[in-house]
């Protein structure tokens, strides 16, 4: 099927027919981090405040015949019904507007200020170190390597009657507690992009560490946990460079490992990782930061 809009219309028609009049089915654009857009189908059951979102753009290339679209619709309905049978998650979603339930689940993460200008106009946020903003989400399900997250928008804030600075205070308490830091030696990960780029540039001997969290989800935020940058500098015995190589982790390089004339090459290293190895949705920043051990400050490297 060569036309996505025809595919999308036929798919939504089949879903409406299969799910019945009790469900509202609509096709819309899903706006994600860094202005990445994906096509999706939204399904809302009558009397429910929960809307399920199922991506469709990735399915379109698989549709070659009418039988294919029939199978795709069938699989999507099965996925919708599977999600409905998850009582714990449905209960959590039903209680989103209850602040007593939500407050212990409010977390913060980092986002590129420039790449998310439209999003930041619609959600609570705080500018932090150069080029980065703190935004908030609800962590509804925890587990190593995954989690169910919902970005906190103005509608939720209005329902909770909680100001933005109240969210920030809550998130600063919750995030380190639920998602504690992990300080890792990058040399233990042979697939690490930063190591591969350093090797290609003839700088394979430089020590590199990763800072992330216990879930590996939005772990770049760890650098702003209270006391973490200071304790990391004490552990390394020196100041260090911070390369935000994804939303989920930062690469740390001890300052004495970089000769002064090579420090400027770190930005090119970061650009190479961000452009060649990182999905756009996971991009955080092209800015290299430096943590000064004596001043106990993090700032952008010119």
């Amino acid at each position: 099927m060569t036309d996505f809009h025809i595919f999308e219309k036929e798919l939504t028609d089949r879903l409406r027919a299969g799910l019945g009049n009790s469900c509202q089915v609509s096709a819309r654009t899903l706006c994600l981090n860094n202005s990445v857009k994906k096509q999706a189908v939204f399904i809302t059951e009558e009397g429910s405040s929960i809307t399920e979102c199922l991506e469709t753009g990735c399915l379109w290339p698989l549709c070659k015949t009418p039988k294919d679209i029939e199978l795709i619709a069938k699989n999507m309905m099965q996925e919708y019904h599977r999600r409905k049978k998850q009582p714990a998650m449905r209960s959590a979603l039903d209680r989103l507007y209850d602040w007593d339930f939500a407050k212990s689940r409010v977390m913060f993460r980092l986002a590129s200020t420039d790449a998310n200008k439209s999003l930041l106009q619609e959600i609570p946020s705080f500018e932090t170190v150069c080029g980065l903003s703190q935004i908030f989400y609800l962590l509804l399900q925890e587990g190593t390597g995954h989690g169910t997250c919902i970005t906190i928008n103005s509608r939720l804030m209005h329902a909770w009657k909680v100001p933005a600075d109240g969210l920030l205070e809550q998130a600063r308490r919750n995030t380190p507690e639920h998602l504690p830091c992990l300080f890792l030696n990058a040399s233990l990960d042979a697939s690490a992009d930063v190591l591969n780029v350093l090797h290609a540039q003839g700088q394979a001997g430089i020590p590199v560490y990763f800072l992330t969290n216990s879930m590996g989800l939005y772990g770049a935020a760890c650098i702003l946990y209270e006391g973490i940058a200071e304790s990391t500098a004490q552990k390394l015995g020196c100041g260090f460079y911070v390369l935000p190589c994804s939303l989920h982790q930062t690469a740390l390089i001890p300052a004495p490992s970089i000769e002064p004339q090579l420090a400027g090459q770190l930005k090119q290293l970061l650009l190479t990782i961000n452009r060649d190895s990182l999905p756009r949705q996971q991009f955080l920043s092209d800015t290299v930061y430096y943590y000064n051990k004596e001043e106990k400050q993090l700032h952008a490297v010119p």
Side-chain angles (χ1 to χ4, degrees):
M1 187 172 292
T2 58
D3 192 309
F4 175 77
H5 296 292
I6 295 175
F7 162 78
E8 188 176 55
K9 183 180 185 307
E10 291 192 13
L11 180 60
T12 52
D13 287 346
R14 287 177 184 270
L15 291 174
R16 290 188 185 103
L19 295 172
N21 295 330
S22 63
C23 288
Q24 293 183 348
V25 180
S26 61
R28 302 201 299 271
T29 300
L30 183 63
C31 296
L32 304 173
N33 192 64
N34 295 330
S35 303
V36 173
K37 296 182 179 180
K38 294 187 178 182
Q39 299 305 121
V41 164
F42 294 77
I43 304 173
T44 307
E45 192 166 356
E46 187 176 350
S48 174
S49 60
I50 301 171
T51 298
E52 294 290 354
C53 173
L54 301 171
E55 289 187 29
T56 56
C58 58
L59 301 173
W60 174 44
L62 305 177
C63 187
K64 307 297 182 183
T65 69
K67 286 187 177 181
D68 292 334
I69 198 168
E70 183 178 345
L71 180 61
I72 289 171
K74 180 180 178 180
N75 289 340
M76 291 183 74
M77 285 187 282
Q78 289 176 344
E79 172 62 13
Y80 172 72
H81 289 302
R82 185 192 69 79
R83 294 185 185 185
K84 285 180 61 179
K85 292 178 181 178
Q86 295 180 313
M89 181 55 58
R90 303 295 288 189
S91 175
L93 291 170
D94 278 331
R95 298 182 64 189
L96 284 182
Y97 296 95
D98 177 359
W99 176 242
D100 288 336
F101 167 80
K103 64 183 179 181
S104 64
R105 295 165 170 82
V106 174
M107 311 290 162
F108 77 85
R109 70 174 178 88
L110 296 178
S112 166
T113 303
D114 286 342
N116 291 280
K117 288 181 179 178
S118 297
L119 175 64
L120 295 177
Q121 291 176 358
E122 301 173 0
I123 63 174
S125 66
F126 288 87
E127 287 192 39
T128 178
V129 291
C130 179
L132 299 178
S133 293
Q134 287 178 286
I135 65 176
F136 307 98
Y137 64 96
L138 290 177
L139 181 62
L140 299 182
Q141 183 181 26
E142 298 180 43
T144 303
H146 73 278
T148 300
C149 308
I150 295 178
T151 300
I152 294 174
N153 56 27
S154 56
R155 185 170 63 176
L156 283 171
M157 284 185 62
H158 179 75
W160 296 333
K161 296 181 172 59
V162 176
D165 56 356
L167 286 181
L168 180 61
E169 181 181 353
Q170 192 71 43
R172 283 177 171 171
R173 288 199 300 265
N174 292 343
T175 315
E177 178 183 346
H178 289 267
L179 302 171
C181 278
L182 291 179
F183 180 77
L184 306 171
N185 190 326
S187 65
L188 300 178
D189 183 1
S191 65
D193 292 326
V194 65
L195 295 181
N196 295 335
V197 175
L198 281 171
H199 187 272
Q201 294 181 352
Q203 301 180 43
I206 294 177
V208 181
Y209 303 89
F210 286 143
L211 192 64
T212 185
N213 61 37
S214 55
M215 282 178 60
L217 178 72
Y218 300 144
C222 288
I223 196 65
L224 293 188
Y225 288 6
E226 185 176 359
I228 287 297
E230 183 178 357
S231 64
T232 299
Q234 291 174 351
K235 187 179 301 184
L236 295 174
C238 59
F240 55 89
Y241 293 98
V242 180
L243 280 65
C245 48
S246 86
L247 291 176
H248 306 303
Q249 65 182 13
T250 54
L252 311 181
I253 300 179
S257 304
I258 303 292
E259 297 180 14
Q261 65 269 28
L262 297 178
Q265 296 181 14
L266 290 178
K267 183 167 185 177
Q268 186 57 49
L269 166 65
L270 182 59
L271 285 170
T272 300
I273 295 169
N274 286 343
R275 298 299 179 269
D276 297 343
S277 306
L278 193 67
R280 176 64 182 171
Q281 192 177 335
Q282 296 181 23
F283 167 78
L284 182 55
S285 176
D286 285 331
T287 299
V288 175
Y289 300 89
Y290 177 71
Y291 182 78
N292 187 300
K293 183 174 182 291
E294 285 69 37
E295 297 176 1
K296 299 181 180 180
Q297 289 186 348
L298 184 72
H299 60 82
V301 176

